[in-house]
Each structure stands twice: as C-alpha cells, then as structure tokens.
PDB file of all heavy atoms in Angstrom:
ATOM      1  N   VAL R  29       0.880  -1.168   0.000  1.00  0.00           N
ATOM      2  CA  VAL R  29       0.000   0.000   0.000  1.00  0.00           C
ATOM      3  C   VAL R  29       0.914   1.213   0.000  1.00  0.00           C
ATOM      4  O   VAL R  29       1.914   1.260   0.725  1.00  0.00           O
ATOM      5  CB  VAL R  29      -0.974   0.013   1.207  1.00  0.00           C
ATOM      6  CG1 VAL R  29      -0.237   0.033   2.539  1.00  0.00           C
ATOM      7  CG2 VAL R  29      -1.922   1.198   1.103  1.00  0.00           C
ATOM      8  N   ILE R  30       0.604   2.171  -0.861  1.00  0.00           N
ATOM      9  CA  ILE R  30       1.438   3.360  -1.042  1.00  0.00           C
ATOM     10  C   ILE R  30       0.678   4.581  -0.544  1.00  0.00           C
ATOM     11  O   ILE R  30      -0.419   4.877  -1.022  1.00  0.00           O
ATOM     12  CB  ILE R  30       1.826   3.535  -2.526  1.00  0.00           C
ATOM     13  CG1 ILE R  30       2.530   2.280  -3.050  1.00  0.00           C
ATOM     14  CG2 ILE R  30       2.698   4.765  -2.721  1.00  0.00           C
ATOM     15  CD1 ILE R  30       2.679   2.237  -4.569  1.00  0.00           C
ATOM     16  N   ASP R  31       1.239   5.259   0.422  1.00  0.00           N
ATOM     17  CA  ASP R  31       0.680   6.506   0.964  1.00  0.00           C
ATOM     18  C   ASP R  31      -0.753   6.359   1.489  1.00  0.00           C
ATOM     19  O   ASP R  31      -1.686   6.960   0.943  1.00  0.00           O
ATOM     20  CB  ASP R  31       0.722   7.612  -0.093  1.00  0.00           C
ATOM     21  CG  ASP R  31       2.107   8.207  -0.260  1.00  0.00           C
ATOM     22  OD1 ASP R  31       3.029   7.749   0.419  1.00  0.00           O
ATOM     23  OD2 ASP R  31       2.259   9.141  -1.077  1.00  0.00           O
ATOM     24  N   PRO R  32      -0.944   5.599   2.553  1.00  0.00           N
ATOM     25  CA  PRO R  32      -2.285   5.516   3.154  1.00  0.00           C
ATOM     26  C   PRO R  32      -2.558   6.735   4.042  1.00  0.00           C
ATOM     27  O   PRO R  32      -2.633   6.640   5.253  1.00  0.00           O
ATOM     28  CB  PRO R  32      -2.205   4.221   3.967  1.00  0.00           C
ATOM     29  CG  PRO R  32      -0.768   4.153   4.400  1.00  0.00           C
ATOM     30  CD  PRO R  32       0.024   4.734   3.257  1.00  0.00           C
ATOM     31  N   GLY R  33      -2.690   7.879   3.404  1.00  0.00           N
ATOM     32  CA  GLY R  33      -2.936   9.117   4.144  1.00  0.00           C
ATOM     33  C   GLY R  33      -4.403   9.391   4.364  1.00  0.00           C
ATOM     34  O   GLY R  33      -4.835   9.758   5.452  1.00  0.00           O
ATOM     35  N   SER R  34      -5.200   9.200   3.305  1.00  0.00           N
ATOM     36  CA  SER R  34      -6.643   9.418   3.405  1.00  0.00           C
ATOM     37  C   SER R  34      -7.425   8.120   3.404  1.00  0.00           C
ATOM     38  O   SER R  34      -8.650   8.126   3.510  1.00  0.00           O
ATOM     39  CB  SER R  34      -7.126  10.295   2.233  1.00  0.00           C
ATOM     40  OG  SER R  34      -6.582  11.596   2.321  1.00  0.00           O
ATOM     41  N   SER R  35      -6.739   6.997   3.264  1.00  0.00           N
ATOM     42  CA  SER R  35      -7.384   5.684   3.214  1.00  0.00           C
ATOM     43  C   SER R  35      -6.817   4.797   4.315  1.00  0.00           C
ATOM     44  O   SER R  35      -5.607   4.555   4.360  1.00  0.00           O
ATOM     45  CB  SER R  35      -7.155   5.016   1.852  1.00  0.00           C
ATOM     46  OG  SER R  35      -7.647   5.827   0.804  1.00  0.00           O
ATOM     47  N   GLY R  36      -7.706   4.328   5.188  1.00  0.00           N
ATOM     48  CA  GLY R  36      -7.283   3.462   6.273  1.00  0.00           C
ATOM     49  C   GLY R  36      -7.338   1.995   5.905  1.00  0.00           C
ATOM     50  O   GLY R  36      -7.665   1.625   4.774  1.00  0.00           O
ATOM     51  N   TYR R  37      -7.036   1.149   6.868  1.00  0.00           N
ATOM     52  CA  TYR R  37      -7.009  -0.297   6.645  1.00  0.00           C
ATOM     53  C   TYR R  37      -8.339  -0.810   6.110  1.00  0.00           C
ATOM     54  O   TYR R  37      -8.376  -1.598   5.167  1.00  0.00           O
ATOM     55  CB  TYR R  37      -6.645  -1.004   7.947  1.00  0.00           C
ATOM     56  CG  TYR R  37      -6.602  -2.509   7.831  1.00  0.00           C
ATOM     57  CD1 TYR R  37      -5.454  -3.144   7.373  1.00  0.00           C
ATOM     58  CD2 TYR R  37      -7.700  -3.290   8.184  1.00  0.00           C
ATOM     59  CE1 TYR R  37      -5.401  -4.525   7.254  1.00  0.00           C
ATOM     60  CE2 TYR R  37      -7.659  -4.670   8.070  1.00  0.00           C
ATOM     61  CZ  TYR R  37      -6.518  -5.285   7.600  1.00  0.00           C
ATOM     62  OH  TYR R  37      -6.480  -6.648   7.486  1.00  0.00           O
ATOM     63  N   ASN R  38      -9.434  -0.345   6.677  1.00  0.00           N
ATOM     64  CA  ASN R  38     -10.752  -0.820   6.243  1.00  0.00           C
ATOM     65  C   ASN R  38     -11.093  -0.349   4.839  1.00  0.00           C
ATOM     66  O   ASN R  38     -11.834  -1.024   4.114  1.00  0.00           O
ATOM     67  CB  ASN R  38     -11.826  -0.370   7.224  1.00  0.00           C
ATOM     68  CG  ASN R  38     -11.712  -1.066   8.567  1.00  0.00           C
ATOM     69  OD1 ASN R  38     -11.227  -2.198   8.647  1.00  0.00           O
ATOM     70  ND2 ASN R  38     -12.147  -0.406   9.623  1.00  0.00           N
ATOM     71  N   ASP R  39     -10.580   0.810   4.435  1.00  0.00           N
ATOM     72  CA  ASP R  39     -10.828   1.303   3.083  1.00  0.00           C
ATOM     73  C   ASP R  39     -10.113   0.447   2.044  1.00  0.00           C
ATOM     74  O   ASP R  39     -10.636   0.194   0.961  1.00  0.00           O
ATOM     75  CB  ASP R  39     -10.340   2.751   2.942  1.00  0.00           C
ATOM     76  CG  ASP R  39     -11.073   3.716   3.849  1.00  0.00           C
ATOM     77  OD1 ASP R  39     -12.317   3.703   3.832  1.00  0.00           O
ATOM     78  OD2 ASP R  39     -10.409   4.474   4.577  1.00  0.00           O
ATOM     79  N   VAL R  40      -8.912   0.000   2.383  1.00  0.00           N
ATOM     80  CA  VAL R  40      -8.126  -0.795   1.441  1.00  0.00           C
ATOM     81  C   VAL R  40      -8.766  -2.155   1.215  1.00  0.00           C
ATOM     82  O   VAL R  40      -8.820  -2.663   0.093  1.00  0.00           O
ATOM     83  CB  VAL R  40      -6.678  -0.945   1.959  1.00  0.00           C
ATOM     84  CG1 VAL R  40      -5.910  -1.992   1.154  1.00  0.00           C
ATOM     85  CG2 VAL R  40      -5.969   0.401   1.895  1.00  0.00           C
ATOM     86  N   GLY R  41      -9.261  -2.760   2.266  1.00  0.00           N
ATOM     87  CA  GLY R  41     -10.008  -4.005   2.128  1.00  0.00           C
ATOM     88  C   GLY R  41      -9.182  -5.192   1.689  1.00  0.00           C
ATOM     89  O   GLY R  41      -9.695  -6.112   1.047  1.00  0.00           O
ATOM     90  N   ARG R  42      -7.895  -5.202   2.005  1.00  0.00           N
ATOM     91  CA  ARG R  42      -7.035  -6.334   1.668  1.00  0.00           C
ATOM     92  C   ARG R  42      -6.329  -6.811   2.928  1.00  0.00           C
ATOM     93  O   ARG R  42      -5.894  -5.998   3.744  1.00  0.00           O
ATOM     94  CB  ARG R  42      -5.980  -5.932   0.627  1.00  0.00           C
ATOM     95  CG  ARG R  42      -6.537  -5.560  -0.743  1.00  0.00           C
ATOM     96  CD  ARG R  42      -5.405  -5.300  -1.724  1.00  0.00           C
ATOM     97  NE  ARG R  42      -5.882  -4.961  -3.055  1.00  0.00           N
ATOM     98  CZ  ARG R  42      -5.096  -4.792  -4.115  1.00  0.00           C
ATOM     99  NH1 ARG R  42      -3.775  -4.944  -3.980  1.00  0.00           N
ATOM    100  NH2 ARG R  42      -5.598  -4.479  -5.291  1.00  0.00           N
ATOM    101  N   ASP R  43      -6.190  -8.126   3.056  1.00  0.00           N
ATOM    102  CA  ASP R  43      -5.500  -8.661   4.233  1.00  0.00           C
ATOM    103  C   ASP R  43      -4.118  -9.205   3.883  1.00  0.00           C
ATOM    104  O   ASP R  43      -3.489  -9.893   4.687  1.00  0.00           O
ATOM    105  CB  ASP R  43      -6.344  -9.743   4.908  1.00  0.00           C
ATOM    106  CG  ASP R  43      -6.685 -10.899   3.975  1.00  0.00           C
ATOM    107  OD1 ASP R  43      -6.125 -10.952   2.855  1.00  0.00           O
ATOM    108  OD2 ASP R  43      -7.500 -11.751   4.368  1.00  0.00           O
ATOM    109  N   ASN R  44      -3.644  -8.882   2.657  1.00  0.00           N
ATOM    110  CA  ASN R  44      -2.329  -9.383   2.231  1.00  0.00           C
ATOM    111  C   ASN R  44      -1.276  -8.281   2.198  1.00  0.00           C
ATOM    112  O   ASN R  44      -0.212  -8.453   1.595  1.00  0.00           O
ATOM    113  CB  ASN R  44      -2.429 -10.012   0.840  1.00  0.00           C
ATOM    114  CG  ASN R  44      -2.745  -8.984  -0.246  1.00  0.00           C
ATOM    115  OD1 ASN R  44      -3.383  -7.964   0.026  1.00  0.00           O
ATOM    116  ND2 ASN R  44      -2.325  -9.256  -1.469  1.00  0.00           N
ATOM    117  N   ILE R  45      -1.541  -7.150   2.839  1.00  0.00           N
ATOM    118  CA  ILE R  45      -0.586  -6.042   2.818  1.00  0.00           C
ATOM    119  C   ILE R  45       0.607  -6.371   3.716  1.00  0.00           C
ATOM    120  O   ILE R  45       0.453  -6.543   4.923  1.00  0.00           O
ATOM    121  CB  ILE R  45      -1.243  -4.722   3.271  1.00  0.00           C
ATOM    122  CG1 ILE R  45      -2.417  -4.353   2.349  1.00  0.00           C
ATOM    123  CG2 ILE R  45      -0.205  -3.599   3.313  1.00  0.00           C
ATOM    124  CD1 ILE R  45      -2.036  -4.120   0.911  1.00  0.00           C
ATOM    125  N   HIS R  46       1.783  -6.465   3.109  1.00  0.00           N
ATOM    126  CA  HIS R  46       2.986  -6.781   3.888  1.00  0.00           C
ATOM    127  C   HIS R  46       3.884  -5.556   4.073  1.00  0.00           C
ATOM    128  O   HIS R  46       4.756  -5.551   4.934  1.00  0.00           O
ATOM    129  CB  HIS R  46       3.785  -7.911   3.243  1.00  0.00           C
ATOM    130  CG  HIS R  46       4.195  -7.653   1.813  1.00  0.00           C
ATOM    131  ND1 HIS R  46       5.135  -6.710   1.447  1.00  0.00           N
ATOM    132  CD2 HIS R  46       3.767  -8.240   0.655  1.00  0.00           C
ATOM    133  CE1 HIS R  46       5.286  -6.723   0.133  1.00  0.00           C
ATOM    134  NE2 HIS R  46       4.475  -7.633  -0.373  1.00  0.00           N
ATOM    135  N   SER R  47       3.660  -4.501   3.250  1.00  0.00           N
ATOM    136  CA  SER R  47       4.534  -3.330   3.346  1.00  0.00           C
ATOM    137  C   SER R  47       3.770  -2.052   3.019  1.00  0.00           C
ATOM    138  O   SER R  47       2.896  -2.044   2.139  1.00  0.00           O
ATOM    139  CB  SER R  47       5.719  -3.447   2.377  1.00  0.00           C
ATOM    140  OG  SER R  47       6.490  -4.596   2.639  1.00  0.00           O
ATOM    141  N   VAL R  48       4.139  -0.995   3.736  1.00  0.00           N
ATOM    142  CA  VAL R  48       3.619   0.344   3.475  1.00  0.00           C
ATOM    143  C   VAL R  48       4.765   1.166   2.901  1.00  0.00           C
ATOM    144  O   VAL R  48       5.803   1.338   3.549  1.00  0.00           O
ATOM    145  CB  VAL R  48       3.101   1.019   4.759  1.00  0.00           C
ATOM    146  CG1 VAL R  48       2.616   2.427   4.469  1.00  0.00           C
ATOM    147  CG2 VAL R  48       1.995   0.184   5.392  1.00  0.00           C
ATOM    148  N   LEU R  49       4.589   1.656   1.684  1.00  0.00           N
ATOM    149  CA  LEU R  49       5.589   2.524   1.055  1.00  0.00           C
ATOM    150  C   LEU R  49       5.125   3.967   1.200  1.00  0.00           C
ATOM    151  O   LEU R  49       4.022   4.317   0.772  1.00  0.00           O
ATOM    152  CB  LEU R  49       5.744   2.179  -0.426  1.00  0.00           C
ATOM    153  CG  LEU R  49       6.326   0.806  -0.763  1.00  0.00           C
ATOM    154  CD1 LEU R  49       6.314   0.578  -2.269  1.00  0.00           C
ATOM    155  CD2 LEU R  49       7.733   0.668  -0.220  1.00  0.00           C
ATOM    156  N   LEU R  50       5.967   4.799   1.794  1.00  0.00           N
ATOM    157  CA  LEU R  50       5.634   6.208   1.981  1.00  0.00           C
ATOM    158  C   LEU R  50       6.500   7.061   1.062  1.00  0.00           C
ATOM    159  O   LEU R  50       7.727   7.010   1.121  1.00  0.00           O
ATOM    160  CB  LEU R  50       5.861   6.620   3.441  1.00  0.00           C
ATOM    161  CG  LEU R  50       5.037   5.845   4.474  1.00  0.00           C
ATOM    162  CD1 LEU R  50       5.366   6.338   5.881  1.00  0.00           C
ATOM    163  CD2 LEU R  50       3.539   5.983   4.201  1.00  0.00           C
ATOM    164  N   THR R  51       5.840   7.846   0.230  1.00  0.00           N
ATOM    165  CA  THR R  51       6.578   8.691  -0.710  1.00  0.00           C
ATOM    166  C   THR R  51       7.305   9.817   0.012  1.00  0.00           C
ATOM    167  O   THR R  51       8.401  10.215  -0.388  1.00  0.00           O
ATOM    168  CB  THR R  51       5.641   9.303  -1.757  1.00  0.00           C
ATOM    169  OG1 THR R  51       4.628  10.086  -1.094  1.00  0.00           O
ATOM    170  CG2 THR R  51       4.997   8.224  -2.613  1.00  0.00           C
ATOM    171  N   HIS R  52       6.678  10.344   1.077  1.00  0.00           N
ATOM    172  CA  HIS R  52       7.320  11.420   1.832  1.00  0.00           C
ATOM    173  C   HIS R  52       6.624  11.593   3.173  1.00  0.00           C
ATOM    174  O   HIS R  52       5.605  10.944   3.452  1.00  0.00           O
ATOM    175  CB  HIS R  52       7.333  12.727   1.037  1.00  0.00           C
ATOM    176  CG  HIS R  52       5.989  13.306   0.706  1.00  0.00           C
ATOM    177  ND1 HIS R  52       5.093  12.707  -0.153  1.00  0.00           N
ATOM    178  CD2 HIS R  52       5.377  14.449   1.128  1.00  0.00           C
ATOM    179  CE1 HIS R  52       4.008  13.449  -0.258  1.00  0.00           C
ATOM    180  NE2 HIS R  52       4.151  14.507   0.515  1.00  0.00           N
ATOM    181  N   GLY R  53       7.179  12.475   3.997  1.00  0.00           N
ATOM    182  CA  GLY R  53       6.748  12.562   5.381  1.00  0.00           C
ATOM    183  C   GLY R  53       5.729  13.626   5.702  1.00  0.00           C
ATOM    184  O   GLY R  53       5.857  14.309   6.720  1.00  0.00           O
ATOM    185  N   HIS R  54       4.721  13.788   4.870  1.00  0.00           N
ATOM    186  CA  HIS R  54       3.618  14.688   5.191  1.00  0.00           C
ATOM    187  C   HIS R  54       2.402  13.872   5.623  1.00  0.00           C
ATOM    188  O   HIS R  54       2.092  12.831   5.028  1.00  0.00           O
ATOM    189  CB  HIS R  54       3.260  15.573   3.990  1.00  0.00           C
ATOM    190  CG  HIS R  54       4.259  16.671   3.752  1.00  0.00           C
ATOM    191  ND1 HIS R  54       4.347  17.363   2.572  1.00  0.00           N
ATOM    192  CD2 HIS R  54       5.226  17.190   4.574  1.00  0.00           C
ATOM    193  CE1 HIS R  54       5.319  18.267   2.663  1.00  0.00           C
ATOM    194  NE2 HIS R  54       5.855  18.179   3.866  1.00  0.00           N
ATOM    195  N   ASN R  55       1.721  14.366   6.653  1.00  0.00           N
ATOM    196  CA  ASN R  55       0.667  13.583   7.296  1.00  0.00           C
ATOM    197  C   ASN R  55      -0.431  13.118   6.350  1.00  0.00           C
ATOM    198  O   ASN R  55      -1.013  12.045   6.546  1.00  0.00           O
ATOM    199  CB  ASN R  55       0.030  14.394   8.433  1.00  0.00           C
ATOM    200  CG  ASN R  55       1.020  14.752   9.516  1.00  0.00           C
ATOM    201  OD1 ASN R  55       2.089  14.180   9.607  1.00  0.00           O
ATOM    202  ND2 ASN R  55       0.664  15.702  10.362  1.00  0.00           N
ATOM    203  N   ASP R  56      -0.745  13.919   5.347  1.00  0.00           N
ATOM    204  CA  ASP R  56      -1.816  13.520   4.444  1.00  0.00           C
ATOM    205  C   ASP R  56      -1.427  12.334   3.574  1.00  0.00           C
ATOM    206  O   ASP R  56      -2.262  11.808   2.834  1.00  0.00           O
ATOM    207  CB  ASP R  56      -2.284  14.697   3.588  1.00  0.00           C
ATOM    208  CG  ASP R  56      -1.189  15.297   2.719  1.00  0.00           C
ATOM    209  OD1 ASP R  56      -0.076  15.492   3.229  1.00  0.00           O
ATOM    210  OD2 ASP R  56      -1.446  15.574   1.537  1.00  0.00           O
ATOM    211  N   HIS R  57      -0.174  11.900   3.691  1.00  0.00           N
ATOM    212  CA  HIS R  57       0.278  10.728   2.940  1.00  0.00           C
ATOM    213  C   HIS R  57       0.596   9.528   3.830  1.00  0.00           C
ATOM    214  O   HIS R  57       0.747   8.423   3.315  1.00  0.00           O
ATOM    215  CB  HIS R  57       1.496  11.082   2.089  1.00  0.00           C
ATOM    216  CG  HIS R  57       1.168  11.987   0.948  1.00  0.00           C
ATOM    217  ND1 HIS R  57       0.969  11.546  -0.345  1.00  0.00           N
ATOM    218  CD2 HIS R  57       0.954  13.325   0.923  1.00  0.00           C
ATOM    219  CE1 HIS R  57       0.661  12.574  -1.122  1.00  0.00           C
ATOM    220  NE2 HIS R  57       0.644  13.665  -0.370  1.00  0.00           N
ATOM    221  N   PHE R  58       0.691   9.732   5.149  1.00  0.00           N
ATOM    222  CA  PHE R  58       1.007   8.580   6.006  1.00  0.00           C
ATOM    223  C   PHE R  58       0.073   8.448   7.206  1.00  0.00           C
ATOM    224  O   PHE R  58       0.281   7.597   8.065  1.00  0.00           O
ATOM    225  CB  PHE R  58       2.462   8.647   6.499  1.00  0.00           C
ATOM    226  CG  PHE R  58       2.759   9.699   7.541  1.00  0.00           C
ATOM    227  CD1 PHE R  58       2.427   9.504   8.875  1.00  0.00           C
ATOM    228  CD2 PHE R  58       3.390  10.877   7.192  1.00  0.00           C
ATOM    229  CE1 PHE R  58       2.710  10.471   9.836  1.00  0.00           C
ATOM    230  CE2 PHE R  58       3.683  11.843   8.138  1.00  0.00           C
ATOM    231  CZ  PHE R  58       3.335  11.633   9.467  1.00  0.00           C
ATOM    232  N   ARG R  59      -0.982   9.234   7.267  1.00  0.00           N
ATOM    233  CA  ARG R  59      -1.811   9.314   8.478  1.00  0.00           C
ATOM    234  C   ARG R  59      -2.265   7.953   8.993  1.00  0.00           C
ATOM    235  O   ARG R  59      -2.380   7.736  10.200  1.00  0.00           O
ATOM    236  CB  ARG R  59      -3.026  10.207   8.198  1.00  0.00           C
ATOM    237  CG  ARG R  59      -3.893  10.484   9.412  1.00  0.00           C
ATOM    238  CD  ARG R  59      -5.011  11.463   9.096  1.00  0.00           C
ATOM    239  NE  ARG R  59      -4.479  12.774   8.755  1.00  0.00           N
ATOM    240  CZ  ARG R  59      -4.588  13.343   7.544  1.00  0.00           C
ATOM    241  NH1 ARG R  59      -5.206  12.705   6.566  1.00  0.00           N
ATOM    242  NH2 ARG R  59      -4.089  14.529   7.321  1.00  0.00           N
ATOM    243  N   HIS R  60      -2.546   7.000   8.108  1.00  0.00           N
ATOM    244  CA  HIS R  60      -3.073   5.701   8.534  1.00  0.00           C
ATOM    245  C   HIS R  60      -2.041   4.574   8.444  1.00  0.00           C
ATOM    246  O   HIS R  60      -2.404   3.400   8.571  1.00  0.00           O
ATOM    247  CB  HIS R  60      -4.306   5.342   7.706  1.00  0.00           C
ATOM    248  CG  HIS R  60      -5.432   6.318   7.869  1.00  0.00           C
ATOM    249  ND1 HIS R  60      -6.243   6.328   8.979  1.00  0.00           N
ATOM    250  CD2 HIS R  60      -5.847   7.333   7.072  1.00  0.00           C
ATOM    251  CE1 HIS R  60      -7.138   7.308   8.856  1.00  0.00           C
ATOM    252  NE2 HIS R  60      -6.912   7.931   7.720  1.00  0.00           N
ATOM    253  N   ALA R  61      -0.781   4.938   8.254  1.00  0.00           N
ATOM    254  CA  ALA R  61       0.250   3.892   8.133  1.00  0.00           C
ATOM    255  C   ALA R  61       0.294   2.995   9.362  1.00  0.00           C
ATOM    256  O   ALA R  61       0.512   1.779   9.264  1.00  0.00           O
ATOM    257  CB  ALA R  61       1.614   4.535   7.892  1.00  0.00           C
ATOM    258  N   HIS R  62       0.060   3.577  10.532  1.00  0.00           N
ATOM    259  CA  HIS R  62       0.152   2.804  11.777  1.00  0.00           C
ATOM    260  C   HIS R  62      -0.875   1.681  11.820  1.00  0.00           C
ATOM    261  O   HIS R  62      -0.651   0.643  12.455  1.00  0.00           O
ATOM    262  CB  HIS R  62      -0.038   3.731  12.987  1.00  0.00           C
ATOM    263  CG  HIS R  62      -1.424   4.280  13.121  1.00  0.00           C
ATOM    264  ND1 HIS R  62      -2.354   3.721  13.967  1.00  0.00           N
ATOM    265  CD2 HIS R  62      -2.036   5.322  12.508  1.00  0.00           C
ATOM    266  CE1 HIS R  62      -3.483   4.406  13.876  1.00  0.00           C
ATOM    267  NE2 HIS R  62      -3.321   5.375  13.001  1.00  0.00           N
ATOM    268  N   GLU R  63      -2.023   1.853  11.138  1.00  0.00           N
ATOM    269  CA  GLU R  63      -3.056   0.814  11.140  1.00  0.00           C
ATOM    270  C   GLU R  63      -2.547  -0.457  10.477  1.00  0.00           C
ATOM    271  O   GLU R  63      -2.880  -1.571  10.897  1.00  0.00           O
ATOM    272  CB  GLU R  63      -4.312   1.317  10.425  1.00  0.00           C
ATOM    273  CG  GLU R  63      -4.972   2.521  11.090  1.00  0.00           C
ATOM    274  CD  GLU R  63      -6.170   3.016  10.313  1.00  0.00           C
ATOM    275  OE1 GLU R  63      -6.678   2.269   9.432  1.00  0.00           O
ATOM    276  OE2 GLU R  63      -6.599   4.156  10.574  1.00  0.00           O
ATOM    277  N   PHE R  64      -1.760  -0.310   9.436  1.00  0.00           N
ATOM    278  CA  PHE R  64      -1.208  -1.465   8.729  1.00  0.00           C
ATOM    279  C   PHE R  64      -0.048  -2.071   9.521  1.00  0.00           C
ATOM    280  O   PHE R  64       0.096  -3.291   9.576  1.00  0.00           O
ATOM    281  CB  PHE R  64      -0.748  -1.043   7.326  1.00  0.00           C
ATOM    282  CG  PHE R  64      -1.867  -0.556   6.463  1.00  0.00           C
ATOM    283  CD1 PHE R  64      -2.239   0.789   6.473  1.00  0.00           C
ATOM    284  CD2 PHE R  64      -2.566  -1.431   5.650  1.00  0.00           C
ATOM    285  CE1 PHE R  64      -3.281   1.240   5.682  1.00  0.00           C
ATOM    286  CE2 PHE R  64      -3.611  -0.989   4.857  1.00  0.00           C
ATOM    287  CZ  PHE R  64      -3.969   0.350   4.876  1.00  0.00           C
ATOM    288  N   ARG R  65       0.752  -1.205  10.146  1.00  0.00           N
ATOM    289  CA  ARG R  65       1.865  -1.711  10.937  1.00  0.00           C
ATOM    290  C   ARG R  65       1.367  -2.516  12.136  1.00  0.00           C
ATOM    291  O   ARG R  65       1.951  -3.542  12.505  1.00  0.00           O
ATOM    292  CB  ARG R  65       2.744  -0.551  11.412  1.00  0.00           C
ATOM    293  CG  ARG R  65       4.050  -1.005  12.047  1.00  0.00           C
ATOM    294  CD  ARG R  65       4.982   0.165  12.320  1.00  0.00           C
ATOM    295  NE  ARG R  65       6.287  -0.317  12.751  1.00  0.00           N
ATOM    296  CZ  ARG R  65       6.596  -0.591  14.010  1.00  0.00           C
ATOM    297  NH1 ARG R  65       5.700  -0.417  14.974  1.00  0.00           N
ATOM    298  NH2 ARG R  65       7.802  -1.035  14.322  1.00  0.00           N
TER     299      ARG R  65
END
C-alpha cells in the first residue's frame, strides 16, 4: 500500500498487505500507516 494518508485499513479491504511505502513525510500521505503496521 502506497501513501495511506486518506485511506485506512478498512478502506483498502485487503489482508495481504505486507509493506507500506511512503513517498514522503507529510501527514496527508502517512496518516493511517500505523493501522497497517
């Protein structure tokens, strides 16, 4: 999953996510990263 800033775990709807790729460190791009971690 790339930049889960506005989309959380439930929005993605996949249980096979093994990695979160963040393009950069602005909150609107990583706000929900912790849900996947």
